């Protein structure tokens, strides 16, 4: 049982769950949550959530994933503020050698909103290749690709106005070299191939950057 007292939102949640350790390397999780959120600005609503997850860890591979289905039900000024949301979070790391590693992460959500709640999609996917030599770690490098797709429109500048929607491909390489015990020199090069729009009904425009 969790009761949140401070901040703009007040909430009370009952959670029930279990972890099932299949072996030294695999664990499954399951949980159910039910609660009420008191929101003076956007209206009170009841929330129900069902979550399943799995974690895998051995000498070379670490991976975790969690899937959640969540429903919100409430009213604001006589209008429904109901929403159904599906969320996924996952990460993976593979040890190629003592000095090299592959990494990946994914965050995704899909919201079907009714009334005052806006629907939308979010995908944040990244792949990386990391080099950190064990015998001589003076030079370290991370090469990464990221795909970002957002049709929610993030709220920015502390306002309630929705920001632009966007879809982006980001490539970056980041390296650092230790000259001696005191000095290090590092650099990063990145390119973003991106499009943005004010909302779903507006035309996409380029928004690239180096």
């Amino acid at each position: 049982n969790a009761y949140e007292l401070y901040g703009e939102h007040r909430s009370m949640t009952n959670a029930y769950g279990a972890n099932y350790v299949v072996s030294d390397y695999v664990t499954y999780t399951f949980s159910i949550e039910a609660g009420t959120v008191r929101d003076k600005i956007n209206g009170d609503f009841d929330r129900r959530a069902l979550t399943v997850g799995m974690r895998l860890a051995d000498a070379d591979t670490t991976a975790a994933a969690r899937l959640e289905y969540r429903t919100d039900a409430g009213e604001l000024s006589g209008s429904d503020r109901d929403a159904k949301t599906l969320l996924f979070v996952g990460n993976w790391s593979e040890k190629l050698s003592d000095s090299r590693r592959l990494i990946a992460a994914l965050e995704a959500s899909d919201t079907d909103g009714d009334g005052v709640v806006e629907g939308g999609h979010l995908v944040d996917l990244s792949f990386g290749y990391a080099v950190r030599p064990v015998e001589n770690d003076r030079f370290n490098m991370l090469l990464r690709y990221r795909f970002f797709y957002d049709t929610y429109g993030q709220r920015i500048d502390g306002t309630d106005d929705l920001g632009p929607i966007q879809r982006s491909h980001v490539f970056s390489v980041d390296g650092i070299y230790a000259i001696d015990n005191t000095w290090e020199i590092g650099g990063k090069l990145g390119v973003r191939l991106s499009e943005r729009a004010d909302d779903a009904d507006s035309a996409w425009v380029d928004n690239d950057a180096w």
Side-chain angles (χ1 to χ4, degrees):
N1 298 286
Y3 179 63
E4 183 178 343
L5 178 63
Y6 302 100
E8 294 182 352
H9 307 90
R10 308 286 194 269
S11 65
M12 185 170 183
T13 304
N14 303 308
Y16 309 89
N19 292 342
Y20 176 50
V21 181
V22 180
S23 67
D24 292 339
Y25 308 107
V26 180
T27 301
Y28 293 103
T29 62
F30 171 79
S31 68
I32 298 174
E33 294 185 6
T36 300
V37 178
R38 306 296 184 189
D39 187 345
K40 295 180 180 179
I41 299 175
N42 299 311
D44 301 345
F45 59 92
D46 296 324
R47 172 166 290 174
R48 304 289 185 269
L50 174 65
T51 305
V52 293
M54 183 187 72
R55 178 173 177 81
L56 168 68
D58 60 21
D60 297 324
T61 304
T62 302
R66 187 174 75 251
L67 180 67
E68 178 178 310
Y69 177 70
R70 188 171 67 201
T71 63
D72 297 335
E75 288 189 1
L76 176 63
S77 301
S79 299
D80 290 338
R81 60 146 302 160
D82 300 344
K84 300 179 181 66
T85 303
L86 185 66
L87 305 111
F88 177 84
V89 177
N91 59 75
W92 167 76
S93 175
E94 182 71 22
K95 182 179 178 181
L96 302 178
S97 69
D98 290 339
S99 303
R100 298 177 298 118
R101 192 178 300 269
L102 290 174
I103 56 176
L106 172 63
E107 296 183 8
S109 66
D110 179 88
T111 299
D112 181 12
D114 295 327
V116 297
V117 178
E118 297 283 346
H121 314 281
L122 175 71
V123 177
D124 190 354
L125 172 67
S126 64
F127 292 98
Y129 174 69
V131 177
R132 186 176 185 181
V134 175
E135 296 180 357
N136 183 358
D137 65 348
R138 298 183 67 176
F139 175 72
N140 296 275
M141 182 192 71
L142 175 63
L143 180 66
R144 191 170 79 145
Y145 162 74
R146 182 186 183 196
F147 172 71
F148 187 73
Y149 177 63
D150 169 33
T151 65
Y152 290 102
Q154 302 300 304
R155 287 176 171 81
I156 56 177
D157 299 330
T159 70
D160 288 333
D161 297 330
L162 293 176
I165 63 177
Q166 62 173 304
R167 53 193 182 196
S168 305
H169 300 274
V170 182
F171 304 88
S172 64
V173 57
D174 193 351
I176 188 168
Y177 179 75
I179 299 174
D180 53 31
N181 293 331
T182 304
W183 295 93
E184 293 178 342
I185 185 172
K188 183 172 183 176
L189 176 64
V191 56
R192 184 187 70 215
L193 307 177
S194 175
E195 293 179 305
R196 54 161 285 175
D198 291 334
D199 52 49
D201 297 324
S202 302
W204 292 93
V205 297
D206 291 338
N207 188 32
D208 300 341
W210 284 84

